[in-house]
Amino acid sequence: MTLNLATRLDLRKATPGDVPACGRICYEAFAALSRAHNFPSDFPSPEAAIGMLGVPFADPGFHCMVALREGRIIGSICLDERAPVVCLGPITVDPGAQNAGAGRLLMEAALERERGRGAAGVRLVQAAFHNRTMALYASLGFDVREPLSCMQGRTRTRSLPGCTVRPARAEDLDACCAVAQRVHGFERRGELEQMIRAGEARLVSRAGRITGYASALAFFGHAAAEETTDLKALLASADGFQGPGVLVPTRNAGLFRWCLAEGLRVVQPLTLMSVGLYHEPNGAWLPSISS
């Protein structure tokens, strides 16, 4: 159903009870976009999208909002506020309600909130083939920072000489955060602490010293490391990557070519964008889909 552009849009804070409706919209929005551009969808089913949104909608470290028209939910946005630089996404609007300003309204409300909170910056990742979102985000002040390649598969190499990879433990948190601080200028302690508790995080060490970590080797995980070799070791340790794949900064030509030579395939191109604080990374890194 196409909605009347003149009908009023409202916003409110999301609740866990909104997850089923927002999850279905999220699935349908990504599926429609992917079909239009002949790419695989980020979510294989409505249930997968519902399960994904259930996490931020219930986590106090996130702020999620929904857009409504005549009392019906037509879109949502999530803000990961667990670090000084906020990660934005996903943002989705019902395909039948697009072109009515809901996406811009959600984005403007999100940016207004983060300015009010004094957030250092906001980051997001958008599908590079979707010109309209690129234009929307740029018009709202976001700058293009990095071309990304979503990659999936399993590396032929299973370990790298001199590198040891193991699960991250609670006592490793400070050392891992120090790596993130060196690479990006800020740390993601809250997120990493949660992923360590969940058993998803892993780290790499050389000569007995922690030199990198991954919160998860997944679409929604990020990694930071002193050198590209450390990232290669982390990637080689995985039997596969959760979701559509990991996000590799394409300008890291050595890592990108290594991934291709190891048998990983490119699933889709993406773009990292940000507004506010952004330090050119000093080291090797992988962003998450929310950046």
Side-chain angles (χ1 to χ4, degrees):
M1 178 180 71
T2 301
L3 297 172
N4 187 333
L5 300 186
T7 309
R8 177 181 164 186
L9 289 169
D10 295 302
L11 294 183
R12 65 164 170 78
K13 190 177 187 300
T15 70
D18 299 324
V19 170
C22 291
R24 285 191 292 273
I25 289 171
C26 183
Y27 167 75
E28 291 166 2
F30 277 103
L33 175 63
S34 299
R35 281 195 304 270
H37 294 85
N38 199 30
F39 281 93
S41 177
D42 291 348
F43 302 100
S45 66
E47 290 73 24
I50 290 169
M52 181 277 298
L53 282 182
V55 175
F57 275 41
D59 190 323
F62 287 75
H63 182 79
C64 302
M65 294 178 283
V66 295
L68 306 98
R69 188 181 291 280
E70 297 181 339
R72 184 171 72 87
I73 293 175
I74 61 169
S76 65
I77 192 170
C78 294
L79 296 161
D80 184 347
E81 299 177 338
R82 294 174 294 178
V85 175
V86 173
C87 296
L88 188 155
I91 172 173
T92 53
V93 176
D94 187 327
Q98 292 178 4
N99 305 314
R104 177 175 286 274
L105 184 65
L106 285 164
M107 287 292 299
E108 289 175 341
L111 292 175
E112 181 180 356
R113 172 180 169 82
E114 298 313 325
R115 283 191 293 268
R117 291 181 63 246
V122 180
R123 299 183 181 192
L124 60 81
V125 172
Q126 65 93 223
F129 53 80
H130 195 202
N131 300 343
R132 291 177 59 197
T133 58
M134 172 77 78
L136 171 62
Y137 303 150
S139 72
L140 292 171
F142 282 82
D143 296 327
V144 171
R145 298 299 186 182
E146 193 78 31
L148 307 171
S149 294
C150 178
M151 306 191 78
Q152 184 56 273
R154 181 181 179 182
T155 60
R156 298 186 180 96
T157 299
R158 306 307 296 150
S159 63
L160 269 71
C163 296
T164 300
V165 178
R166 63 167 173 82
R169 300 187 288 262
E171 57 267 30
D172 303 317
L173 184 60
D174 286 344
C176 290
C177 286
V179 173
Q181 185 72 39
R182 287 196 296 273
V183 173
H184 290 296
F186 69 97
E187 60 183 48
R188 299 169 73 164
R189 181 176 296 267
E191 176 184 355
L192 181 56
E193 188 173 22
Q194 287 181 328
M195 297 307 283
I196 289 175
R197 288 200 301 267
E200 295 288 346
R202 63 186 75 186
L203 60 78
V204 57
S205 61
R206 286 182 282 112
R209 186 173 62 85
I210 293 173
T211 52
Y213 75 90
S215 65
L217 290 169
F219 204 48
F220 287 91
H222 74 276
E226 292 182 358
E227 298 179 4
T228 294
T229 297
D230 301 312
L231 278 190
K232 291 178 181 178
L234 287 166
L235 293 170
S237 73
D239 292 329
F241 310 120
Q242 299 173 30
V246 290
L247 306 186
V248 175
T250 316
R251 288 195 305 161
N252 187 339
L255 178 62
F256 184 53
R257 279 194 289 266
W258 179 85
C259 289
L260 294 172
E262 287 290 323
L264 301 188
R265 66 185 187 280
V266 177
V267 178
Q268 62 170 307
L270 298 151
T271 309
L272 174 65
M273 303 182 74
S274 76
V275 62
L277 177 69
Y278 185 85
H279 291 302
E280 189 69 25
N282 180 28
W285 56 291
L286 305 176
S288 72
I289 187 59
S290 60
S291 78

